[in-house]
Coordinates of all heavy atoms in Angstrom, one line a residue:
D129 N -5.1 18.5 0.2 CA -4.1 19.6 0.6 C -4.6 20.3 1.9 O -5.5 21.1 1.8 CB -4.0 20.6 -0.6 CG -3.0 21.7 -0.3 OD1 -2.4 21.7 0.8 OD2 -2.8 22.6 -1.2
Q130 N -4.0 20.0 3.0 CA -4.3 20.6 4.3 C -3.6 21.9 4.5 O -3.9 22.6 5.5 CB -4.0 19.6 5.4 CG -4.8 18.3 5.3 CD -6.2 18.4 5.8 OE1 -6.6 19.4 6.5 NE2 -7.1 17.4 5.4
G131 N -2.6 22.2 3.7 CA -1.9 23.4 3.9 C -0.8 23.3 5.0 O -0.2 24.2 5.4
V132 N -0.7 22.0 5.5 CA 0.4 21.8 6.5 C 1.1 20.5 6.1 O 0.6 19.7 5.4 CB -0.3 21.6 7.9 CG1 -0.9 22.9 8.4 CG2 -1.3 20.5 8.0
A133 N 2.3 20.3 6.7 CA 3.1 19.2 6.4 C 2.8 17.9 7.1 O 3.0 16.8 6.6 CB 4.6 19.6 6.6
R134 N 2.4 18.1 8.4 CA 2.1 16.9 9.2 C 0.7 16.6 9.4 O -0.1 17.5 9.7 CB 2.8 17.1 10.6 CG 4.3 17.1 10.5 CD 5.0 17.4 11.8 NE 4.7 16.3 12.8 CZ 5.2 15.1 12.8 NH1 6.1 14.8 11.9 NH2 4.9 14.3 13.7
L135 N 0.3 15.4 9.1 CA -1.1 15.0 9.0 C -1.5 14.1 10.1 O -0.9 13.1 10.4 CB -1.4 14.3 7.6 CG -0.9 15.1 6.4 CD1 -1.1 14.3 5.1 CD2 -1.7 16.4 6.3
D136 N -2.7 14.4 10.7 CA -3.2 13.5 11.8 C -4.7 13.2 11.5 O -5.3 13.8 10.7 CB -3.0 14.0 13.2 CG -3.9 15.2 13.5 OD1 -5.1 15.1 13.5 OD2 -3.3 16.3 13.6
E137 N -5.2 12.2 12.2 CA -6.5 11.6 11.9 C -7.6 12.5 12.3 O -8.8 12.2 11.8 CB -6.6 10.2 12.6 CG -5.6 9.2 12.2 CD -4.3 9.2 13.1 OE1 -4.1 10.2 13.8 OE2 -3.6 8.2 13.0
T138 N -7.4 13.6 13.0 CA -8.5 14.5 13.3 C -8.8 15.4 12.2 O -9.8 16.1 12.2 CB -8.1 15.3 14.6 OG1 -7.0 16.2 14.3 CG2 -7.8 14.4 15.8
M139 N -8.0 15.5 11.2 CA -8.1 16.4 10.1 C -9.3 16.0 9.2 O -9.5 14.8 8.9 CB -6.9 16.6 9.3 CG -5.7 17.2 10.0 SD -4.2 17.2 9.1 CE -3.2 18.2 10.2
E140 N -10.0 17.0 8.6 CA -11.1 16.7 7.7 C -10.4 16.1 6.4 O -9.4 16.5 6.0 CB -11.8 18.0 7.3 CG -12.9 17.8 6.3 CD -13.6 19.2 6.0 OE1 -13.1 20.2 6.5 OE2 -14.6 19.1 5.3
T141 N -11.1 15.2 5.8 CA -10.6 14.5 4.6 C -11.6 14.9 3.4 O -12.7 15.3 3.6 CB -10.6 13.0 4.7 OG1 -11.9 12.5 5.1 CG2 -9.5 12.6 5.8
G142 N -11.1 14.6 2.2 CA -11.9 14.8 1.0 C -11.7 16.1 0.2 O -12.2 16.2 -0.9
R143 N -11.1 17.1 0.8 CA -10.9 18.3 0.1 C -9.5 18.4 -0.5 O -8.5 18.0 0.1 CB -11.1 19.5 1.1 CG -12.5 19.7 1.6 CD -12.6 21.0 2.4 NE -13.9 21.3 2.9 CZ -14.3 22.3 3.5 NH1 -13.4 23.3 3.8 NH2 -15.5 22.5 3.9
G144 N -9.5 18.9 -1.7 CA -8.2 19.1 -2.4 C -7.6 17.8 -2.9 O -6.4 17.8 -3.2
I145 N -8.3 16.7 -3.0 CA -7.8 15.5 -3.6 C -7.6 15.7 -5.1 O -8.5 16.2 -5.8 CB -8.7 14.3 -3.3 CG1 -8.8 14.1 -1.8 CG2 -8.1 13.0 -4.0 CD1 -9.8 13.0 -1.4
T146 N -6.4 15.4 -5.6 CA -6.1 15.8 -7.0 C -6.2 14.7 -8.0 O -5.9 15.0 -9.2 CB -4.6 16.3 -7.0 OG1 -3.8 15.3 -6.5 CG2 -4.5 17.5 -6.1
N147 N -6.7 13.5 -7.7 CA -6.8 12.5 -8.7 C -7.9 11.5 -8.3 O -8.3 11.3 -7.1 CB -5.5 11.7 -8.8 CG -5.0 11.2 -7.5 OD1 -5.4 10.2 -7.0 ND2 -4.0 11.9 -6.8
P148 N -8.4 10.8 -9.3 CA -9.5 9.8 -9.0 C -9.1 8.7 -8.1 O -9.9 8.2 -7.3 CB -9.9 9.3 -10.4 CG -9.5 10.4 -11.3 CD -8.3 11.0 -10.7
Y149 N -7.8 8.2 -8.1 CA -7.4 7.2 -7.2 C -7.7 7.6 -5.7 O -8.3 6.9 -4.9 CB -5.9 6.9 -7.4 CG -5.3 6.2 -6.2 CD1 -5.5 4.9 -5.9 CD2 -4.4 6.9 -5.3 CE1 -5.0 4.2 -4.8 CE2 -3.9 6.3 -4.2 CZ -4.2 5.0 -4.0 OH -3.6 4.4 -2.9
G150 N -7.2 8.8 -5.4 CA -7.4 9.3 -4.0 C -8.9 9.5 -3.7 O -9.3 9.3 -2.6
Q151 N -9.7 9.9 -4.7 CA -11.1 10.1 -4.5 C -11.7 8.7 -4.2 O -12.6 8.6 -3.3 CB -11.8 10.7 -5.7 CG -11.4 12.1 -6.0 CD -12.2 13.1 -5.1 OE1 -12.8 12.7 -4.1 NE2 -12.0 14.4 -5.3
T152 N -11.3 7.7 -4.8 CA -11.9 6.3 -4.5 C -11.6 5.9 -3.1 O -12.4 5.4 -2.4 CB -11.4 5.2 -5.5 OG1 -10.0 5.0 -5.4 CG2 -11.7 5.6 -6.9
K153 N -10.4 6.2 -2.6 CA -10.0 5.9 -1.2 C -10.9 6.7 -0.3 O -11.4 6.1 0.7 CB -8.6 6.2 -1.0 CG -7.6 5.2 -1.7 CD -7.7 3.8 -1.2 CE -6.6 2.9 -1.8 NZ -6.7 1.5 -1.4
F154 N -11.1 7.9 -0.5 CA -12.0 8.8 0.3 C -13.4 8.3 0.3 O -14.1 8.1 1.3 CB -11.9 10.2 -0.2 CG -13.0 11.1 0.5 CD1 -12.9 11.4 1.8 CD2 -14.0 11.6 -0.3 CE1 -13.9 12.2 2.4 CE2 -15.0 12.4 0.3 CZ -14.9 12.7 1.6
M155 N -13.9 8.0 -0.9 CA -15.3 7.5 -1.0 C -15.5 6.2 -0.3 O -16.5 5.9 0.4 CB -15.7 7.4 -2.5 CG -15.8 8.7 -3.2 SD -16.1 8.5 -5.0 CE -16.2 10.1 -5.5
I156 N -14.5 5.3 -0.4 CA -14.6 4.0 0.2 C -14.6 4.2 1.8 O -15.4 3.5 2.5 CB -13.6 3.0 -0.2 CG1 -13.8 2.6 -1.7 CG2 -13.5 1.7 0.6 CD1 -12.6 1.9 -2.3
E157 N -13.8 5.1 2.2 CA -13.8 5.3 3.7 C -15.1 5.8 4.1 O -15.6 5.4 5.2 CB -12.7 6.4 4.0 CG -11.3 5.9 4.1 CD -10.4 6.9 4.8 OE1 -10.9 7.9 5.4 OE2 -9.2 6.6 4.9
Q158 N -15.8 6.7 3.3 CA -17.1 7.2 3.7 C -18.1 6.0 3.7 O -19.0 5.9 4.6 CB -17.5 8.3 2.7 CG -18.8 9.0 3.2 CD -18.6 9.7 4.5 OE1 -17.7 10.5 4.7 NE2 -19.5 9.4 5.4
I159 N -18.1 5.2 2.7 CA -19.0 4.0 2.6 C -18.8 3.1 3.8 O -19.8 2.7 4.5 CB -18.7 3.2 1.3 CG1 -19.1 4.0 0.1 CG2 -19.4 1.8 1.4 CD1 -18.6 3.4 -1.2
L160 N -17.6 2.9 4.2 CA -17.3 2.0 5.4 C -17.8 2.6 6.7 O -18.4 2.0 7.5 CB -15.9 1.6 5.4 CG -15.4 0.8 4.3 CD1 -13.8 0.6 4.3 CD2 -16.0 -0.6 4.3
S161 N -17.6 3.9 6.8 CA -18.0 4.7 8.0 C -19.6 4.6 8.1 O -20.1 4.4 9.2 CB -17.5 6.1 7.9 OG -18.0 6.9 9.0
D162 N -20.2 4.9 7.0 CA -21.7 4.8 6.9 C -22.2 3.4 7.3 O -23.2 3.3 8.0 CB -22.2 5.3 5.6 CG -22.0 6.7 5.3 OD1 -21.7 7.5 6.3 OD2 -22.1 7.2 4.1
A163 N -21.5 2.4 6.8 CA -21.9 1.0 7.0 C -21.8 0.7 8.5 O -22.7 0.0 9.1 CB -21.1 0.1 6.2
C164 N -20.8 1.3 9.2 CA -20.7 1.0 10.6 C -21.8 1.7 11.4 O -22.3 1.2 12.4 CB -19.3 1.5 11.1 SG -18.0 0.4 10.6
V165 N -22.2 2.9 10.9 CA -23.3 3.6 11.6 C -24.6 2.8 11.5 O -25.4 2.7 12.4 CB -23.5 5.0 11.0 CG1 -24.8 5.7 11.5 CG2 -22.3 5.9 11.3
A166 N -24.8 2.2 10.3 CA -26.0 1.4 10.1 C -26.0 0.1 10.8 O -27.1 -0.5 11.1 CB -26.2 1.2 8.6
D167 N -24.8 -0.5 11.0 CA -24.7 -1.8 11.6 C -23.8 -1.8 12.8 O -22.5 -1.7 12.6 CB -24.2 -2.8 10.5 CG -24.1 -4.2 11.1 OD1 -24.3 -4.5 12.3 OD2 -23.8 -5.1 10.2
S168 N -24.3 -1.8 14.0 CA -23.5 -1.6 15.2 C -22.6 -2.8 15.4 O -21.6 -2.8 16.2 CB -24.4 -1.4 16.4 OG -25.2 -2.6 16.6
G169 N -22.8 -3.9 14.7 CA -22.0 -5.1 14.9 C -20.8 -5.2 14.0 O -20.0 -6.1 14.1
L170 N -20.7 -4.2 13.1 CA -19.6 -4.1 12.1 C -18.3 -3.5 12.7 O -18.4 -2.4 13.4 CB -20.0 -3.4 10.9 CG -19.1 -3.4 9.7 CD1 -18.9 -4.8 9.2 CD2 -19.7 -2.6 8.5
S171 N -17.2 -4.1 12.5 CA -15.9 -3.5 13.0 C -15.1 -3.2 11.8 O -14.8 -4.1 11.0 CB -15.2 -4.5 13.9 OG -15.9 -4.8 15.0
V172 N -14.7 -2.0 11.6 CA -13.9 -1.6 10.4 C -12.7 -0.7 10.9 O -12.8 0.2 11.8 CB -14.7 -0.7 9.4 CG1 -13.8 -0.1 8.4 CG2 -15.8 -1.6 8.8
T173 N -11.5 -1.1 10.4 CA -10.3 -0.2 10.7 C -9.8 0.3 9.4 O -9.5 -0.5 8.4 CB -9.2 -1.1 11.4 OG1 -9.7 -1.5 12.7 CG2 -8.0 -0.2 11.6
L174 N -9.6 1.6 9.3 CA -9.1 2.3 8.1 C -7.6 2.6 8.4 O -7.3 3.3 9.3 CB -9.8 3.6 7.8 CG -11.4 3.5 7.8 CD1 -12.0 4.9 7.6 CD2 -11.9 2.6 6.7
L175 N -6.7 2.0 7.6 CA -5.3 2.3 7.7 C -4.8 3.2 6.6 O -4.9 2.8 5.4 CB -4.5 1.0 7.7 CG -4.9 0.0 8.8 CD1 -4.0 -1.3 8.7 CD2 -4.7 0.6 10.2
R176 N -4.4 4.4 6.9 CA -4.0 5.4 5.9 C -2.5 5.3 5.8 O -1.7 5.7 6.6 CB -4.4 6.8 6.3 CG -5.9 6.9 6.3 CD -6.4 8.3 6.8 NE -7.8 8.4 6.8 CZ -8.5 9.3 7.5 NH1 -7.9 10.2 8.3 NH2 -9.8 9.3 7.4
Y177 N -2.0 4.7 4.6 CA -0.6 4.5 4.4 C 0.0 5.8 3.9 O -0.6 6.6 3.2 CB -0.4 3.5 3.3 CG -1.0 2.2 3.4 CD1 -1.2 1.3 2.3 CD2 -1.5 1.7 4.6 CE1 -1.8 0.1 2.4 CE2 -2.1 0.4 4.7 CZ -2.2 -0.4 3.6 OH -2.8 -1.6 3.7
F178 N 1.3 5.9 4.2 CA 2.0 7.0 3.6 C 2.8 6.5 2.4 O 2.2 6.0 1.5 CB 2.8 7.8 4.7 CG 1.9 8.8 5.4 CD1 0.9 8.3 6.2 CD2 2.0 10.1 5.2 CE1 0.0 9.2 6.8 CE2 1.2 11.0 5.8 CZ 0.1 10.5 6.6
N179 N 4.1 6.3 2.4 CA 4.8 5.9 1.2 C 5.6 4.6 1.4 O 6.7 4.6 1.9 CB 5.7 7.0 0.7 CG 5.0 8.3 0.3 OD1 4.5 9.0 1.1 ND2 4.9 8.5 -1.0
P180 N 5.0 3.5 1.1 CA 5.6 2.2 1.3 C 6.9 2.0 0.4 O 6.8 2.3 -0.8 CB 4.6 1.1 1.0 CG 3.3 1.9 1.0 CD 3.6 3.3 0.5
V181 N 7.9 1.5 1.0 CA 9.1 1.2 0.2 C 9.8 -0.1 0.8 O 9.4 -0.6 1.8 CB 10.2 2.4 0.3 CG1 9.7 3.6 -0.5 CG2 10.5 2.7 1.7
G182 N 10.8 -0.6 0.1 CA 11.6 -1.7 0.6 C 11.0 -3.0 0.1 O 10.2 -3.1 -0.9
A183 N 11.5 -4.1 0.6 CA 11.2 -5.4 0.3 C 11.4 -6.3 1.5 O 12.0 -5.9 2.5 CB 12.0 -5.9 -0.9
H184 N 10.9 -7.6 1.3 CA 11.2 -8.5 2.4 C 12.7 -8.8 2.5 O 13.4 -8.9 1.5 CB 10.5 -9.9 2.1 CG 10.4 -10.8 3.3 ND1 11.4 -11.7 3.6 CD2 9.5 -10.9 4.3 CE1 11.1 -12.3 4.7 NE2 10.0 -11.9 5.1
P185 N 13.3 -8.9 3.7 CA 14.7 -9.0 3.8 C 15.3 -10.3 3.2 O 16.5 -10.3 2.9 CB 15.0 -9.0 5.3 CG 13.6 -9.3 6.0 CD 12.6 -8.7 5.0
S186 N 14.4 -11.3 2.9 CA 14.9 -12.5 2.2 C 15.2 -12.2 0.7 O 15.9 -13.0 0.1 CB 13.8 -13.5 2.3 OG 12.6 -13.1 1.5

Side-chain angles (χ1 to χ4, degrees):
D129 184 359
Q130 298 282 343
V132 296
R134 294 179 59 78
L135 305 174
D136 70 66
E137 298 89 346
T138 65
M139 293 175 172
E140 182 181 4
T141 56
R143 289 188 178 182
I145 298 174
T146 58
N147 57 79
Y149 161 74
Q151 290 285 7
T152 66
K153 291 295 187 182
F154 168 69
M155 291 176 179
I156 292 168
E157 282 199 5
Q158 189 62 55
I159 289 167
L160 293 172
S161 177
D162 290 345
C164 286
V165 171
D167 182 354
S168 61
L170 187 61
S171 299
V172 171
T173 299
L174 310 174
L175 298 180
R176 293 174 181 163
Y177 307 160
F178 279 68
N179 295 73
V181 292
H184 194 273
S186 67

